[in-house]
Amino acid sequence: MKSKKANFQLIKIIAMLMIVSHHLVAKNSFNIDTQVIGITANKVALQVLGNNAFIGNNLFFLVSAWFLSSKMDKDININYSIKSCWKIERTVSFYSYVLCIVVLALGGGKSVLLQSIFPTVTGMWWYPTTYIIFLMIWPFYHQALLNFVIDDLKKYVLIILSVWSFSTLIPFANVGANNLIAFLMLYAIVILIKRLKITFDDYKKVFSGFILVPYGIAVLSIIILDLLGEKIAVAAEYSCYFMRGNYRPVSMMVSIGLFMWGTSWKVKTNKLINCLADATFGIYLFHMYPPVMKLLFENLFIINQVIYKPYAVLYCIAVTLGIFVVGVLIDLIRRVLFYYCTFMISRISVEKQT
């Protein structure tokens, strides 16, 4: 891995930590939004910590989008998309089949058997399914964005953000926004940034504002709605509304700001960073497999046991790091198996030719 790419590897690690911490809080059997009445320091801290995943999802995609948008014209074609989809499908299938076999051997997993056999088409993991769809669209979408004159591209980006992102500031409003739409919006923004040759250093105040202003407003909205939740139950239920959704303005703006900041980081090549970053997709698949998620967040790490303790936040950080490390170890095993399988297939092919 080249040194100039180490900062993007670090972004992937940060993004996955955000995603894991979100699932620990949001997928927990204990709902801190509604089961902790009113407002406490621990509640607000975990609500913030537990809702960064949407920013993390966007950051994870932006790393891919940045490199896809930088490819040579000869590499931007459906063949490249198909090869990329196959690489993703191999990893997804490995985790799906292995985890399914393990869970079945332990006496569970029957409810997700069909999903485990066909994980991508059933959308068992939303991210790879959505990203594969994006990859199949990507060569044509990329060319279409490049064909816009710059003023029209600006108008296009403004329109799609207004329709599918800014409109969701109106409570419960949604005119078709979803995860694929979020990817399309983010990619258009990346193309616009590159065509305008925008850098973080040139627009440091703007991108800092993208991070701090919407995030600050979102945290303030959580506090206000938590307070209202003492009297109005629905307010507590939707206290994190403005942070939840990859397409919402907070997630879009903060992720763009953080990503552009990340492009300016001067990070030296580091084998540990590369190792951790290369395992991030595996960590996602491992801890988001439905039976594993149920085990982790409904049986092992239930927040109600610590929510009123002074170490609640540290506990959640420790659990997040623990899940991350276990995921890294599992993915290292997967990579070793893939390496030896590829080696054996290549050796058999050579022997057949000779």
Side-chain angles (χ1 to χ4, degrees), residues 141 148 151-167 175 181 185 188-189 192:
Y141 188 54
F148 278 120
D151 286 341
D152 286 345
L153 180 58
K154 291 177 183 178
K155 292 174 185 176
Y156 170 73
V157 170
L158 180 60
I159 289 170
I160 60 176
L161 286 174
S162 299
V163 171
W164 286 311
S165 183
F166 299 144
S167 64
V175 289
I181 292 295
M185 289 191 290
I189 292 169
L192 180 61

Side-chain angles (χ1 to χ4, degrees), residues 146-303:
L146 292 184
N147 286 340
F148 278 120
V149 297
I150 197 65
D151 286 341
D152 286 345
L153 180 58
K154 291 177 183 178
K155 292 174 185 176
Y156 170 73
V157 170
L158 180 60
I159 289 170
I160 60 176
L161 286 174
S162 299
V163 171
W164 286 311
S165 183
F166 299 144
S167 64
T168 63
L169 289 172
I170 302 170
F172 311 110
N174 189 318
V175 289
N178 54 39
N179 294 320
L180 178 59
I181 292 295
F183 285 0
L184 294 174
M185 289 191 290
L186 289 169
Y187 194 80
I189 292 169
V190 167
I191 293 295
L192 180 61
I193 286 172
K194 288 198 168 186
R195 287 187 62 180
L196 292 174
K197 296 181 171 58
I198 294 172
T199 66
F200 179 79
D201 291 333
D202 290 338
Y203 293 88
K204 191 173 295 185
K205 290 183 178 180
V206 173
F207 288 120
S208 297
F210 272 25
I211 299 168
L212 298 174
V213 174
Y215 199 81
I217 292 173
V219 172
L220 183 61
S221 73
I222 290 174
I223 294 171
I224 292 172
L225 290 171
D226 278 345
L227 290 171
L228 288 174
E230 294 183 24
K231 303 291 184 181
I232 308 170
V234 72
E237 186 177 350
Y238 289 95
S239 57
C240 300
Y241 173 84
F242 294 105
M243 289 186 74
R244 289 179 178 162
N246 301 331
Y247 47 82
R248 296 202 193 283
V250 172
S251 303
M252 296 289 289
M253 294 178 70
V254 175
S255 61
I256 289 291
L258 284 173
F259 179 79
M260 290 305 296
W261 181 32
T263 62
S264 71
W265 296 344
K266 303 297 185 292
V267 185
K268 293 182 179 180
T269 300
N270 185 303
K271 290 183 179 180
L272 178 60
I273 289 177
N274 290 339
C275 176
L276 297 177
D278 291 343
T280 50
F281 185 49
I283 295 167
Y284 170 83
L285 297 174
F286 154 67
H287 90 279
M288 277 295 287
Y289 185 66
V292 173
M293 190 161 55
K294 183 176 181 179
L295 173 67
L296 292 174
F297 308 132
E298 295 183 22
N299 295 297
L300 293 180
F301 306 114
I302 304 175
I303 293 176

Side-chain angles (χ1 to χ4, degrees), residues 61-173:
F61 173 77
L62 281 166
V63 173
S64 300
W66 192 261
F67 288 103
L68 285 174
S69 66
S70 302
K71 290 199 167 294
M72 302 288 290
D73 289 344
K74 63 183 180 63
D75 295 323
I76 301 175
N77 53 61
I78 197 65
N79 289 332
Y80 178 88
S81 292
I82 292 172
K83 289 178 181 177
S84 298
C85 290
W86 169 239
K87 289 179 181 178
I88 294 169
E89 186 62 28
R90 282 190 310 171
T91 303
V92 168
S93 296
F94 172 85
Y95 273 94
S96 184
Y97 298 155
V98 170
L99 289 172
C100 181
I101 291 169
V102 171
V103 172
L104 285 173
L106 295 173
K110 293 180 181 178
S111 62
V112 293
L113 182 58
L114 182 62
Q115 285 181 292
S116 299
I117 296 171
F118 306 106
T120 303
V121 295
T122 58
M124 183 164 66
W125 290 291
W126 76 264
Y127 190 95
T129 297
T130 306
Y131 188 61
I132 283 174
I133 295 170
F134 172 80
L135 280 174
M136 299 308 293
I137 298 170
W138 165 67
F140 316 105
Y141 188 54
H142 177 88
Q143 192 58 52
L145 293 174
L146 292 184
N147 286 340
F148 278 120
V149 297
I150 197 65
D151 286 341
D152 286 345
L153 180 58
K154 291 177 183 178
K155 292 174 185 176
Y156 170 73
V157 170
L158 180 60
I159 289 170
I160 60 176
L161 286 174
S162 299
V163 171
W164 286 311
S165 183
F166 299 144
S167 64
T168 63
L169 289 172
I170 302 170
F172 311 110

